[in-house]
Amino acid sequence: MPTRTPSEALLDLAADVIGLDARTLAARAAGSPFITLGGTFDRAARLRLRAGEDLGLGVELDQLMGPAPLADVLDRAVPAAPPPLPRPSSARRPLLPGQRAAFGDTSAYRVLSAELTGPLDVTALRTVLDALCSRHEGLRTVFAPYGGGMVRRVLDRHPGPLAELPRTAPGPDPVAAAHSRLAADPRRFAGRPGRPPVSFALAALGPGRHLLSFVHHEAVADGFSAALVWRELLAGYERVVDGLAPGYAAAPGPDAVEAAHPEAGCAPGTAPRFRTERLAFALDDSLRDAVDATARRAGVPHSCVLLAAWALVLGRDSGADAVPVGVELPRHPGAAPVGAVAACGARVPVACELEGTTDYFLRGVACAFGEALAGARERGTAHALATAPTAPVLFAARDEWLPARTAYGGLATRFHHAHLGAGPAQAALTVLRWRDDPLLCLDFAPAVIERAAAVHLVAEVRHVLGALVRARAWAPVDDLLARSGGPGTAPFPAAGTVPLPLC
């Protein structure tokens, strides 16, 4: 039996990760980028990890998500470099580019929570948190003022901080109540001087129900790193309740992320912040299934269909031929640092061109995403985001980072993304859940968009998404830009609001 080449072995891994038949993928990989074959950032990260673990080969995330055909990217795979060892602790280190955020500003905090149903072993949880902080430098890094700026110091040891909140009063939404308590003053939990700006907060919601929240400053972790913390925490908890050790080894630190690709850098935390409100809205299963079917037909991820609908909504009101949308994604360059907890979130401006037929438009949005990411890599992410106009509208697909529900150690887990009342955009559409109970949200700045206009904007998203997935593959996208005059198609923004600029 002939020995498979490295490229063939990688194609087999890619087919397994994407969920396509290996022969089908091999036939299409020569002319199609990964992202137009159903690849997402999460799938790219899993493919890279498996390539390193199973085959000893390194594949760059930026190249996987770029415009080059998948076969060409896999042909460029090289032997994976060994993971860099953590640096020894030192008295002071300068801030990395991704850590230059507004320290002391409550808007620079994030909260990602897990609703836990089942018998919770708090002692096991504390054991896992201690081990997790020992594994990741980012979770035991202290930030302090020095010489008119900020410096950081990595502690040799820091017990996993766990704050137990008073029992939440009975109410219709105890999760929202717990999040409101955290949002009122996140620095109380993760901002004390001399301690890392990281904490875990545990709230009892009722018999056999708890909410465990990961509270952290954006200088510590981006959204992808927060998801990594949760995956490792739950896997370690399951091992501990089974009587085993957590099983953690030392992970690469934030410095390894910077050293792996210094020309790529990390996004500086200099973007303006807006006070925002959130409108969460569900999609029914039939619409979700129609989006998935359209994505399969066009050969793009479902997130590209949702991004395309968002661009169409904005384009219908602006009359523009191309709509710039900032797309949130993590950037962990290099092979090993994908396992690091670091602040490397980026917002890449994607120019969504509103032209062609429906499937041509969808593939164009996917390719524009890849081209924007490749361009950011060539110039350096920090440079690209500092010099390019910032799109005042964002899109993020956070459903790709964590499953909506999972189970570990006898606990059923459901994840919740808290809203702390501020954000980097005037309007941001985010996919929170997809496969299980689809849930999206619109974060909007009331100073720019009145609440009534935001409610209308949500209706527009539903309406345009429905029209997009009902359209034939060869239907002109101009038909989707024309208003039908039906329900949910009134002009945006509503009377009395400030128009939302697109550039």
Side-chain angles (χ1 to χ4, degrees):
M1 185 174 184
T3 303
R4 292 186 305 166
T5 66
S7 294
E8 290 171 339
L10 284 170
L11 273 172
D12 287 346
L13 279 183
D16 186 49
V17 167
I18 296 174
L20 285 177
D21 175 75
R23 292 182 179 179
T24 300
L25 181 65
R28 297 172 58 188
S32 300
F34 180 74
I35 195 170
T36 63
L37 294 168
T40 62
F41 187 92
D42 178 64
R43 288 171 176 171
R46 283 191 279 131
L47 175 57
R48 186 173 69 168
L49 282 174
R50 291 188 59 184
E53 293 173 353
D54 300 353
L55 304 174
L57 295 172
V59 183
E60 292 290 355
L61 280 182
D62 293 342
Q63 294 181 16
L64 273 175
M65 298 301 290
L70 176 60
D72 292 351
V73 173
L74 299 184
D75 284 342
R76 293 196 292 265
V78 296
L85 296 175
R87 283 178 49 183
S89 298
S90 60
R92 287 188 296 269
R93 300 184 193 179
L95 296 188
L96 296 172
Q99 296 171 334
R100 294 170 191 159
F103 283 89
D105 183 354
T106 57
S107 68
Y109 284 86
R110 291 192 183 192
V111 176
L112 178 57
S113 300
E115 183 181 353
L116 308 173
T117 303
L120 177 64
D121 187 334
V122 177
T123 301
L125 177 61
R126 291 185 182 276
T127 299
V128 171
L129 294 181
D130 289 349
L132 202 59
C133 286
S134 295
R135 168 173 165 77
H136 290 289
E137 281 188 359
L139 300 181
R140 45 188 168 88
T141 298
V142 175
F143 299 88
Y146 179 79
M150 298 290 294
V151 294
R152 60 196 168 101
R153 181 167 57 91
V154 179
L155 303 179
D156 291 323
R157 185 179 181 279
H158 181 60
L162 179 64
E164 296 195 41
L165 302 179
R167 182 177 291 273
T168 303
D173 192 343
V175 171
H179 280 168
S180 295
R181 187 176 301 170
L182 294 172
D185 188 8
R187 288 172 294 185
R188 174 187 169 194
F189 302 94
R192 296 182 180 181
R195 297 185 182 181
V198 170
S199 182
F200 292 86
L202 183 64
L205 304 180
R209 289 181 63 212
H210 295 82
L211 187 75
L212 182 61
S213 300
F214 177 37
V215 186
H216 63 92
H217 195 281
E218 290 182 358
V220 170
D222 55 24
F224 183 79
S225 289
L228 171 68
V229 167
W230 270 113
R231 290 195 297 269
E232 293 187 352
L233 188 159
L234 292 171
Y237 176 83
E238 183 170 64
R239 286 192 291 268
V240 170
V241 296
D242 286 342
L244 305 174
Y248 301 140
D255 295 273
V257 177
E258 177 70 12
H261 254 308
E263 76 276 9
C266 294
T270 55
R273 310 286 295 191
F274 299 90
R275 185 179 69 83
T276 60
E277 298 179 10
R278 171 167 291 183
L279 287 175
F281 60 101
L283 299 181
D284 59 49
D285 290 350
S286 62
L287 183 53
R288 176 204 61 202
D289 293 344
V291 169
D292 287 340
T294 300
R296 287 192 298 271
R297 184 192 72 201
V300 301
H302 69 268
S303 55
C304 276
V305 179
L306 297 165
L307 170 59
W310 182 222
L312 282 169
V313 169
L314 300 168
R316 295 174 86 188
D317 295 292
S318 70
D321 294 329
V323 176
V325 180
V327 177
E328 178 185 302
L329 76 160
R331 284 182 53 81
H332 287 61
V338 73
V341 172
C344 266
R347 291 177 301 278
V348 177
V350 176
C352 302
E353 296 187 0
L354 312 178
E355 62 180 15
T357 61
T358 301
D359 280 14
Y360 178 90
F361 165 58
L362 291 173
R363 295 188 190 109
V365 170
C367 288
F369 174 82
E371 289 167 0
L373 184 55
R377 174 186 173 147
E378 290 171 4
R379 297 185 300 271
T381 303
H383 173 75
L385 295 182
T387 57
T390 302
V393 289
L394 294 181
F395 175 84
R398 294 180 184 166
D399 64 297
E400 297 177 356
W401 303 352
L402 280 173
R405 301 174 189 267
T406 187
Y408 284 92
L411 294 173
T413 304
R414 182 183 180 90
F415 292 101
H416 300 274
H417 297 262
H419 176 243
L420 300 189
Q426 298 169 7
L429 182 68
T430 302
V431 189
L432 300 176
R433 297 195 303 263
W434 186 247
R435 177 47 41 200
D436 186 12
D437 299 330
L439 182 69
L440 287 72
C441 71
L442 174 70
D443 292 345
F444 64 97
V448 179
I449 309 170
E450 291 181 354
R451 188 172 184 84
V455 171
H456 165 73
L457 188 53
V458 167
E460 278 277 82
V461 170
R462 291 177 183 274
H463 175 80
V464 171
L465 182 60
L468 177 60
V469 299
R470 289 192 302 269
R472 301 280 187 178
W474 56 86
V477 74
D478 286 345
D479 293 350
L480 300 172
L481 290 168
R483 296 188 178 277
S484 66
T489 60
F492 170 78
T497 64
V498 179
L500 183 65
L502 294 179
C503 61

